[in-house]
Amino acid sequence: MDIKNKVILITGASSGIGWATAEALAREGARLALAARRQDRLDALAQTLHERHGTETFVVRTDVKRENEVRYMITETVKRFGRLDVLINNAGVLFMGQFLEMPLVDMHAIMDTNYWSIVHAVKFAAPPMSKQGGGHIINIASGVSRRGLPFMAAYSASKYALAGLTEAVRLELAAQNIKFTTVYPGGVETEMPKSVDRKKLPPTYPDQRRWRISAERVARAVVKAVRKQPVEIFVPWWVGIGPWINLFSPALADRLIRRAEKI
């Protein structure tokens, strides 16, 4: 797929993977709709992309937990550009902590952001994509979409749900020429892990920073996904090893994770 002049909507564009992906796609000549909660960050990104690449942008402040705002985000993007070629569902939230101690309100926020917002986005994006002859939806999942990790129970559940949703709807909507790609990043150095309250974790929980990759590395994988439309991408590639071990021997996977995370 030639990216130049394609209309691409990115959620969670105000930082991290979303910001890096917007910059990467701007270099390819895409026209971009940028969605997130922080209006000032979106405005700054749009100005940066215009100054560096002459990118045509549309900024739409959106809280993806709100169904009506997701609907507005989609309809206004289509109204502005006349079509929607690619939707990148990137917005997400992470709270870590011991399952029995995590407030239910935090668990609901994780599911609302990481799962239900994408349900809404797909339902609202599919009709205009179908009407124009097709489209492409990229869902940013996680390595924990295929193997849950301790102290990330609700987050793992939300990403498992996202992976299952994507597998199902890519079959249902294939007849409408709507393609789906699931991107499975490992740990990424963004605001998300930096915001984790380590006081809610066991004192022996290891520092994971050495395993994290840059948001720019994930952005390159997303650009590849836009161009080649694969079914799945693991980034980095070794993130896919864990699910394979878990598939053949969940007990072995448990032992390896307990040893690595010192629990």
Side-chain angles (χ1 to χ4, degrees):
M1 175 178 168
D2 184 8
I3 297 175
K4 187 175 178 60
N5 292 323
K6 292 296 185 294
V7 176
I8 302 177
L9 168 59
I10 307 169
T11 70
S14 62
S15 66
I17 295 171
W19 185 295
T21 298
E23 290 208 272
L25 289 169
R27 289 192 291 270
E28 299 288 333
R31 295 183 289 168
L32 299 175
L34 309 171
R37 290 178 298 175
R38 293 178 290 186
Q39 182 75 45
D40 58 332
R41 296 293 303 274
L42 292 176
D43 290 339
L45 175 58
Q47 182 176 350
T48 298
L49 298 181
H50 178 73
E51 291 174 353
R52 291 180 180 175
H53 311 289
T55 307
E56 182 182 357
T57 59
F58 170 58
V59 168
V60 52
R61 184 191 178 280
T62 308
D63 183 347
V64 295
K65 296 192 302 297
R66 301 179 181 274
E67 179 182 349
N68 62 321
E69 294 191 23
V70 175
R71 185 197 302 269
Y72 180 83
M73 172 187 78
I74 298 292
T75 57
E76 290 302 305
T77 297
V78 174
K79 185 183 299 183
R80 168 64 181 268
F81 292 105
R83 61 185 298 110
L84 175 58
D85 296 300
V86 183
L87 167 63
I88 301 175
N89 287 310
N90 166 72
V93 65
L94 168 66
F95 300 119
M96 292 182 66
Q98 299 184 60
F99 173 76
L100 295 178
E101 297 178 4
M102 181 174 286
L104 287 174
V105 65
D106 288 350
M107 294 186 180
H108 283 292
I110 288 172
M111 291 300 297
D112 286 344
T113 305
N114 298 355
Y115 175 69
W116 281 111
S117 73
I118 296 173
V119 170
H120 298 148
V122 172
K123 287 181 74 70
F124 298 140
M129 284 183 170
S130 178
K131 185 177 180 180
Q132 73 193 18
H136 186 196
I137 296 176
I138 299 174
N139 291 332
I140 308 298
S142 168
V144 300
S145 297
R146 297 300 189 190
R147 168 64 222 200
L149 294 179
F151 316 117
M152 302 175 71
Y155 183 78
S156 297
S158 70
K159 294 298 186 176
Y160 259 85
L162 172 57
L165 170 75
T166 309
E167 287 179 346
V169 295
R170 77 168 180 247
L171 295 172
E172 290 190 32
L173 298 180
Q176 300 177 45
N177 197 32
I178 299 177
K179 303 181 187 303
F180 284 82
T181 299
T182 311
V183 179
Y184 299 97
V188 185
E189 190 64 22
T190 66
E191 294 177 1
M192 186 182 291
K194 292 177 182 178
S195 67
V196 170
D197 184 357
R198 287 191 61 90
K199 291 181 292 186
K200 296 182 179 180
L201 299 171
T204 57
Y205 188 80
D207 188 340
Q208 304 285 353
R209 283 178 293 182
R210 63 175 177 162
W211 299 108
R212 293 177 194 155
I213 61 174
S214 68
E216 288 73 21
R217 186 168 179 180
V218 182
R220 292 194 295 271
V222 175
V223 172
K224 179 180 178 181
V226 173
R227 184 177 288 114
K228 297 188 176 182
Q229 301 179 333
V231 171
E232 294 183 337
I233 294 181
F234 289 90
V235 55
W237 65 269
W238 48 259
V239 172
I241 295 175
W244 276 104
I245 295 174
N246 191 64
L247 177 65
F248 291 106
S249 180
L252 173 60
D254 282 0
R255 289 196 298 272
L256 293 173
I257 292 168
R258 292 188 67 183
R259 181 181 303 172
E261 302 204 353
K262 301 178 182 179
I263 59 173

